[in-house]
């Protein structure tokens, strides 16, 4: 369920914080839910998953601040399109002030089945209007409030019957011309929809804080949000985020991460990982892992692996790792879509920085990645800086997921075929157990997440139908022949991020303006230097002084004043132009314009495809710095 509003959550968050302040973090994980929480073993049978129902959940689809006012916007969930819109309406019992109101509908006009997201929000009433024939709908209940083509005939009929009576009963029965309204709510800055329940049922099923990150609502924390769509299956993307071991290699570049990180992984010896499972209310499910937040592979590489046969440091040996006070690296997955990671103080369970991820299941083979950096920084980092850093980080391993994505979908489809032909069909599809090879001590966590997906994906709405359609299009004699997409297709930042983020679009527009003006001013300066005849400073000063002296004479007529004034202004302009095109000012201004143009171009580049094959090949060379080659 979606988190409750910030106001309603403050008391609960303070209570949680108080509990954790007085207990060791490991104890806190099993305190209030000890009856439901069990220590998991990777080989233990899956428990508590049969009750999980994807149709009773809320799903985040877009950041509220990214939704334009009075503009229908398409979002997709489980391969079905919906339209969401934000309008301003008068507050109840307060006609002087407006408030934001969100509505959601199935993105389909009942008339000719065209997309309502291609329509508009009416200025009067805030209704959603189809741009094909003008059919208009109340987004709160889906009721069709007007069909323009029937207005004339309806008015004539009413006039012939003496007009509509004030006591005429309101017809609440759903009609064929009515659209389908979807439950929608706003929490922690996101819009959440629950399309499988009626609005009243969805609100009744709302549970406080189910998919919330407590720190977002706590005082002192600031958030920096981001969004990006990927042509990668949402299950694979979540497995990637919850994979503790990949950060040390996939993110080893100095460009985005100064050093690969393995704080969340286990070494299988001194730093063992604990994984706890929790069945939450209303059939929810959650897992939490914790491990000492210290360098494991980095320490071993520096102190053991980087020594040659004689015990001397090799050229790749780094400075000795400085051990910081021990913290716990915690990873939390709350089904079906929330993951948050943080290094927490071992005694108070607090963290000064967390990263939260909401992965929206757009459809089979697709996902929407929404993230928030939650920190106690003294100032809020501009969003565009966060986007540049995050996009560079995401590009490092997203293309790698393509192979995993294809293998998992293929095996899942084959599992359905085997199950359909079986005399004793089951609801569990052991895709990951039969596809992956687990060996790392850190993979207790991915194993547990894989068990969740293998146990529940058969109940995902529309999953089997869209999966089998993908498989039938791309399979031939048990071999995938789907063309391998290019790196540019998989990592197209403009289509995946910039088009979905108004702040990034605005920044790109500003960069375009800076580049255009810098270019125009630069060429104007060059032409000015070519056009202005060199003149000594003495000559320019004399011409200006002469004009000023003549203007001071009372004996001059009007025409003389105008003529002298023009000459003086020309002399001043000539003097200024001469000063401007002198070597030092000229080249200084030209250099400043060049730097402005170059900087704007570099910033703009960050919001389009950037991570080419060459950049990738240079990027992975940093792996040898983190892990000494054999």
């Amino acid at each position: 369920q979606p988190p409750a509003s910030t106001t309603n959550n403050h008391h609960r968050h303070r209570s949680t914080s108080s509990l954790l302040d007085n207990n060791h973090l490991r104890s806190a994980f099993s305190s209030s839910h000890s009856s439901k929480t069990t220590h998991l073993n990777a080989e233990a049978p899956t428990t508590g998953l049969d009750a999980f129902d994807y149709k009773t959940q809320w799903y985040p689809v877009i950041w509220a601040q990214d939704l334009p006012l009075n503009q229908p916007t398409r979002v997709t969930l489980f391969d079905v399109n919906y339209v969401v819109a934000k309008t301003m309406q008068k507050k109840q019992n307060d006609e002087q002030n407006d408030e934001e109101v969100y509505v959601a509908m199935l993105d389909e006009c009942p008339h000719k089945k065209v997309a309502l997201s291609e329509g508009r929000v009416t200025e009067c009433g805030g209704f959603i209007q189809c741009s094909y024939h003008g059919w208009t709908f109340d987004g709160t209940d889906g009721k069709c409030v007007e069909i323009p083509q029937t207005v004339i005939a309806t008015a004539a009929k009413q006039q012939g019957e003496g007009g509509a009576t004030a006591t005429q009963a309101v017809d609440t029965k759903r009609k064929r011309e009515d659209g389908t309204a979807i439950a929608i709510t706003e929490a922690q800055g996101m819009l959440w929809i629950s399309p499988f329940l009626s609005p009243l049922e969805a609100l009744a099923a709302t549970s406080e804080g189910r998919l919330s990150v407590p720190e977002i609502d706590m005082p002192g924390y600031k958030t920096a949000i981001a969004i990006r769509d990927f042509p990668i299956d949402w299950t694979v993307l979540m497995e990637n985020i919850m994979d503790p071991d990949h950060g040390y290699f996939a993110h080893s570049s100095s460009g985005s991460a100064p050093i690969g990180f393995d704080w969340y992984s286990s070494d299988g010896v001194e730093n063992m990982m604990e994984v706890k499972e929790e069945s939450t209310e209303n059939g929810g499910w959650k897992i939490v892992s914790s491990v000492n937040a210290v360098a494991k592979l980095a320490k071993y590489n520096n102190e053991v692996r980087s020594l040659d046969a004689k015990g001397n440091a090799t050229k790749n040996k780094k400075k000795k790792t400085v051990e910081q006070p021990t913290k716990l690296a915690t990873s939390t997955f709350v089904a079906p879509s929330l993951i948050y990671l943080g290094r927490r103080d071992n005694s108070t369970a607090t963290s000064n920085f967390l990263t939260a991820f909401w992965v929206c299941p757009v459809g089979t083979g697709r996902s929407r990645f929404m993230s928030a950096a939650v920190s106690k920084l003294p100032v809020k980092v501009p969003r565009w800086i966060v986007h540049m850093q995050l996009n560079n980080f995401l590009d490092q391993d997203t293309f790698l997921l393509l192979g995993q994505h294809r293998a998992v979908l293929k095996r899942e489809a084959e599992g359905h075929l085997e199950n359909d032909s079986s005399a004793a069909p089951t609801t569990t599809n052991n895709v990951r157990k039969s596809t992956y090879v687990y060996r790392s001590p850190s993979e207790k966590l991915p194993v547990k997440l894989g068990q969740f997906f293998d146990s529940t994906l058969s109940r995902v709405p529309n999953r089997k139908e869209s999966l089998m359609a993908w498989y039938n299009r791309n399979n031939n004699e048990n071999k995938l022949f789907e063309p391998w997409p290019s790196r540019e297709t998989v990592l197209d930042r403009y289509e995946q991020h910039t088009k979905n983020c108004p702040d990034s679009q605005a920044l790109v527009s500003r960069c375009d303006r800076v580049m255009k003006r810098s270019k125009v001013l630069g060429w104007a300066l060059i032409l000015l230097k070519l056009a202005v005849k060199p003149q000594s400073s003495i000559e320019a000063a004399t011409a200006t002084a002469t004009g000023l002296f003549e203007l001071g004479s009372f004996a001059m007529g009007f025409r003389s004043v105008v003529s002298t004034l023009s000459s003086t202004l020309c002399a001043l302009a000539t003097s200024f132009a001469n000063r401007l095109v002198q070597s030092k000012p000229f080249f200084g201004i030209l250099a400043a314009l060049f730097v402005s143009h170059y900087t704007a171009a570099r910033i703009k580049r960050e919001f389009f495809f950037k991570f080419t094959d060459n950049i990738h090949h240079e990027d992975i060379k940093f792996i040898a710095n983190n892990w000494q080659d054999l």
Side-chain angles (χ1 to χ4, degrees):
Q1 307 296 344
S5 66
T6 301
T7 303
N8 294 334
N9 272 333
H10 275 316
H11 179 71
R12 181 179 61 83
H13 293 316
R14 285 198 295 270
S15 300
T16 303
S17 177
S18 175
L19 168 68
L20 298 181
D21 285 345
N22 296 322
N23 294 278
H24 189 281
L25 181 58
R26 293 192 188 277
S27 300
F29 281 135
S30 58
S31 58
S32 60
H33 297 279
S34 57
S35 61
K36 300 180 181 179
T37 303
T38 57
H39 183 224
L40 300 178
N41 184 286
E43 301 300 324
T46 301
T47 59
L49 301 181
D50 293 338
F52 188 82
D53 187 358
Y54 285 91
K55 291 186 176 182
T56 62
Q57 309 299 315
W58 287 83
Y59 296 90
V61 291
I62 193 172
W63 289 105
Q65 72 178 65
D66 289 340
L67 184 63
L69 183 65
N70 294 328
Q71 180 176 319
T73 301
R74 179 187 295 119
V75 296
T76 307
L77 179 67
F78 296 129
D79 290 299
V80 177
N81 292 333
Y82 301 94
V83 57
V84 295
K86 175 169 61 177
T87 65
M88 299 297 294
Q89 297 183 14
K90 297 295 182 183
K91 289 184 176 181
Q92 292 184 351
N93 304 322
D94 185 359
E95 293 295 328
Q96 302 299 320
N97 297 303
D98 294 337
E99 65 177 347
E100 291 181 346
V101 175
Y102 300 97
V103 295
M105 295 180 62
L106 184 68
D107 192 18
E108 180 182 277
C109 179
H111 181 207
K112 292 292 182 70
K113 310 305 180 185
V114 303
L116 291 175
S117 57
E118 294 295 320
R120 58 185 287 267
V121 173
T122 61
E123 296 181 8
C124 180
F127 299 127
I128 295 179
Q129 186 179 70
C130 178
S131 59
Y132 197 19
H133 295 92
W135 285 33
T136 306
F137 306 89
D138 185 341
T140 59
D141 56 14
K143 188 174 182 62
C144 181
V145 297
E146 185 178 64
I147 301 176
Q149 293 76 17
T150 66
V151 168
I152 297 176
T154 301
K157 182 179 179 180
Q158 289 180 350
Q159 186 176 6
E161 295 175 353
T165 62
T167 59
Q168 185 176 2
V170 178
D171 187 2
T172 59
K173 184 179 179 180
R174 177 179 170 82
K175 301 178 180 179
R176 289 192 65 193
E177 62 265 28
D178 292 338
T180 303
I182 302 298
I184 185 170
T185 188
E186 188 272 340
Q188 291 201 324
M190 289 167 288
L191 296 186
W192 305 67
I193 64 173
S194 184
F196 306 103
L197 303 175
S198 71
L200 290 179
E201 290 173 332
L203 292 176
T206 300
S207 175
E208 185 179 347
R210 275 284 301 276
L211 293 188
S212 66
V213 178
E215 284 80 1
I216 291 180
D217 295 327
M218 290 181 181
Y221 283 92
K222 298 179 176 62
T223 60
I225 62 175
I227 187 171
R228 186 165 174 178
D229 294 336
F230 286 113
I232 300 294
D233 192 68
W234 51 277
T235 63
V236 173
L237 186 58
M238 281 195 271
E239 287 184 290
N240 167 254
I241 299 172
M242 292 290 280
D243 181 350
D245 290 331
H246 83 285
Y248 194 67
F249 292 90
H251 299 295
S252 60
S253 164
S254 62
S256 298
I259 184 175
F261 54 91
D262 62 347
W263 306 307
Y264 297 88
S265 65
S266 168
D267 58 14
V269 183
E270 296 178 353
N271 301 287
M272 299 296 291
M273 176 182 290
E274 283 192 275
V275 180
K276 296 182 184 294
E277 176 184 9
E278 180 181 326
S279 296
T280 59
E281 57 185 301
N282 296 332
W285 191 77
K286 170 182 178 180
I287 50 175
V288 181
S289 73
S290 60
V291 65
N292 290 330
V294 297
K296 291 92 175 178
L297 291 179
K299 182 178 180 180
Y300 181 86
N301 185 64
N302 290 342
E303 298 178 2
V304 179
R305 188 177 178 88
S306 294
L307 301 180
D308 60 21
K310 297 180 180 180
N312 300 318
T314 62
K315 63 178 181 179
N316 285 335
K317 180 174 174 62
K318 302 175 185 177
K319 296 180 180 179
K320 187 174 181 179
T321 305
V322 178
E323 293 289 345
Q324 300 294 329
T326 302
K327 294 184 178 182
L328 281 182
T330 63
S331 304
T332 303
F333 169 71
V334 186
S337 58
L338 170 62
I339 298 171
Y340 56 98
L341 317 173
R343 288 177 289 168
R344 298 181 179 274
D345 187 276
N346 204 12
S347 59
T348 65
T350 58
S351 176
N352 290 330
F353 182 83
L354 300 98
T355 49
F357 311 95
W358 295 264
V359 179
C360 176
V362 173
T364 301
R366 297 182 292 165
S367 56
R368 165 159 285 187
F369 171 92
M370 301 168 65
S371 69
V374 187
S375 68
K376 282 190 173 182
L377 294 176
V379 295
K380 189 170 183 177
V381 179
R383 194 181 179 194
W384 61 273
I385 294 179
V386 175
H387 290 167
M388 292 198 308
Q389 180 74 8
L390 182 61
N391 280 329
N392 285 327
F393 188 84
L394 294 172
D395 281 356
Q396 290 180 319
D397 63 346
T398 301
F399 194 70
L400 301 177
L401 301 182
L402 189 60
Q404 180 181 350
H405 153 97
R406 289 160 60 97
V408 165
L409 292 184
K410 179 176 181 292
R411 183 65 192 91
E412 186 180 342
E414 291 170 347
H416 281 301
L417 293 175
E418 295 168 3
N419 194 49
D420 290 344
S421 61
S422 173
T426 65
T427 59
T428 299
N429 193 348
N430 293 318
V431 173
R432 284 143 185 88
K433 185 177 180 180
S434 62
T435 303
Y436 302 152
V437 179
Y438 295 113
R439 291 294 182 269
S440 167
S442 303
E443 290 181 325
K444 289 171 64 176
L445 182 60
V447 164
K448 209 52 214 167
L449 184 61
Q451 289 175 353
F452 169 77
F453 286 136
D454 287 351
S455 299
T456 64
L457 283 182
S458 62
R459 301 195 294 273
V460 169
N462 309 316
R463 175 78 175 185
K464 182 178 178 181
E465 295 81 358
S466 58
L467 175 66
M468 298 313 299
W470 172 86
Y471 181 78
N472 292 331
R473 286 196 309 270
N474 300 299
N475 181 67
N476 184 22
E477 297 181 355
N478 205 31
K479 294 182 179 180
L480 285 181
F481 62 89
E482 178 190 30
W484 197 277
S486 66
R487 193 181 298 274
E488 183 171 0
T489 300
V490 178
L491 303 178
D492 187 349
R493 297 181 185 181
Y494 181 77
E495 290 293 331
Q496 298 166 2
H497 164 73
T498 309
K499 287 178 65 173
N500 296 316
C501 179
D503 290 340
S504 294
Q505 294 175 28
L507 179 65
V508 169
S509 297
R510 290 197 296 271
C511 288
D512 284 334
R513 289 196 297 270
V514 170
M515 292 165 62
K516 182 178 180 180
R517 292 171 183 176
S518 299
K519 187 180 294 186
V520 169
L521 291 174
W523 279 110
L525 188 63
I526 293 173
L527 293 176
L528 182 64
K529 184 172 179 63
L530 296 175
V532 173
K533 180 180 179 181
Q535 184 181 24
S536 67
S537 58
I538 297 177
E539 292 175 343
T542 301
T544 304
T546 301
L548 293 174
F549 178 77
E550 291 179 356
L551 283 173
S553 175
F554 293 99
M556 296 179 63
F558 177 74
R559 292 184 178 180
S560 299
V561 170
V562 173
S563 176
T564 304
L565 181 61
S566 300
S567 300
T568 303
L569 292 176
C570 288
L572 287 170
T574 303
S575 175
F576 176 76
N578 271 284
R579 290 176 179 272
L580 197 62
V581 299
Q582 289 178 6
S583 295
K584 288 184 178 180
F586 174 79
F587 288 111
I589 296 173
L590 206 60
L593 293 173
F594 173 80
V595 170
S596 298
H597 186 281
Y598 177 80
T599 303
R602 294 283 293 185
I603 293 175
K604 178 182 176 181
R605 181 193 177 201
E606 297 293 326
F607 296 88
F608 293 80
F609 171 68
K610 170 188 173 183
F611 207 78
T612 62
D613 290 344
N614 289 337
I615 292 179
H616 169 68
H617 294 148
E618 291 297 319
D619 199 64
I620 60 178
K621 290 181 181 179
F622 288 93
I623 292 177
N625 293 339
N626 289 347
W627 190 246
Q628 177 69 31
D629 290 338
L630 292 175

